[in-house]
Amino acid sequence: MELKSRLGSGARVLSGGQSLVPLLRQRLAQPDALISLGRIAGLADIRVNGGASIGAMTTVRAIEVSPELRKVAPILPLACSSVASVHVRTMGTIGGNLCHAEVGSDPPQALLLLDAQVDAVSARGHRGISIHDFVQGYFTSVLDDDEIVTGFSFTAPSPSARFSYKKYSLRAMDLAIAAVGVGVDFVGDRCEWLRIAVGGVGPRPVRARQAEADWHGCPLNDLTRNAGGLGEDVAREVEPSLSDVFGSEGYRRRLVRAGVKQAIESLAASYAEEVG
Ligand SMILES: Cc1cc2nc3c(=O)[nH]c(=O)nc-3n(C[C@H](O)[C@H](O)[C@H](O)COP(=O)(O)OP(=O)(O)OC[C@H]3O[C@@H](n4cnc5c(N)ncnc54)[C@H](O)[C@@H]3O)c2cc1C
């Protein structure tokens, strides 16, 4: 903390190095100093207790394969399993992934669905930051120059909640052109809990809160029949604004629409099958 406080933006934190090292090699980042978090005890722990606390140095792979997390918050291991390759997941950390704030990253959509809190520290003290405020734009987070992320925590969703994560990319190694995370909980024949997060289509990953509110309480049959309508609402609300070589705004809008539709249809079908 002291080092970061003294050196400020001149020092970069080094976690798994998967994103920072390529930037250093290409001289796109030229910090005066690197502060490695590798030897700080306790930063790579996963603690599960009515929710979970996950240290910033926990690798994406450790989250993907954690039996406890698969049980309490399956969306997070699911989204982590979509990150690049086993190599990148084994080296890259959840803290580095979030702090890098790259468009099309996978874990942020899961953390948004879980309403996670990010823990940051500096020599000035500790602060909790809502995941919804953390990423501010392309490669930009809300962290101050002297702050370091130490971990994340969230309350477990209901055990009956079910999740889907759809990622659209050209190759498995690539970041998402669009990614849609959906969480639903059906009670009887109604959807009583709905969470939708979208990434890869604009400067920051977002939740589709209006669509969530509008479709909350929807009967299962209507939801399944009109899943395309919900997809349309989400696409309109999140307003894809990114156009690049991988896809236009319009293409991304279609991916969001299709992702939500497919997710809802498969989640509703699995619930219907389960309850007979
Ligand atoms: C080939 C390739 C493909 C990839 N594909 C995907 C993908 O499909 N999906 C996906 O989600 N990600 C993907 N990534 C990114 C990957 O998940 C990285 O692991 C992640 O972005 C960075 O994690 P890291 O631990 O390596 O961080 P580092 O590279 O060490 O750091 C990244 C940035 O975050 C800062 N930082 C790191 N930790 C902290 C901290 N605790 N507090 C404050 N600042 C911190 C660093 O200073 C640096 O600016 C890919 C990366 C590569 C190389």
Side-chain angles (χ1 to χ4, degrees), residues 4 11-23 34 37 43 56-58 60 79 82-85 88-89 91-102 104-108 134 143 147-151 165 167 169 171-176:
K4 191 74 175 110
R12 293 287 283 268
V13 170
L14 178 69
S15 290
Q18 293 301 290
S19 298
L20 185 53
V21 170
L23 290 179
L34 291 177
L37 302 185
L43 280 190
M57 286 296 284
T58 308
V60 174
S82 298
V83 172
S85 60
V88 172
R89 298 200 289 274
M91 297 297 293
T93 65
I94 187 77
N97 183 288
L98 193 64
C99 292
H100 194 52
E102 189 163 15
S105 290
D106 297 289
F134 189 81
L143 283 184
E147 283 182 310
I148 290 175
V149 167
T150 53
Y165 186 70
K167 172 179 182 172
S169 59
R171 298 164 305 176
M173 283 291 286
D174 292 344
L175 291 151

Side-chain angles (χ1 to χ4, degrees), residues 30-55:
Q30 295 182 290
D32 301 327
L34 291 177
I35 301 173
S36 170
L37 302 185
R39 290 202 187 151
I40 301 181
L43 280 190
D45 294 344
I46 298 175
R47 292 201 185 87
V48 172
N49 182 7
S53 301
I54 302 173

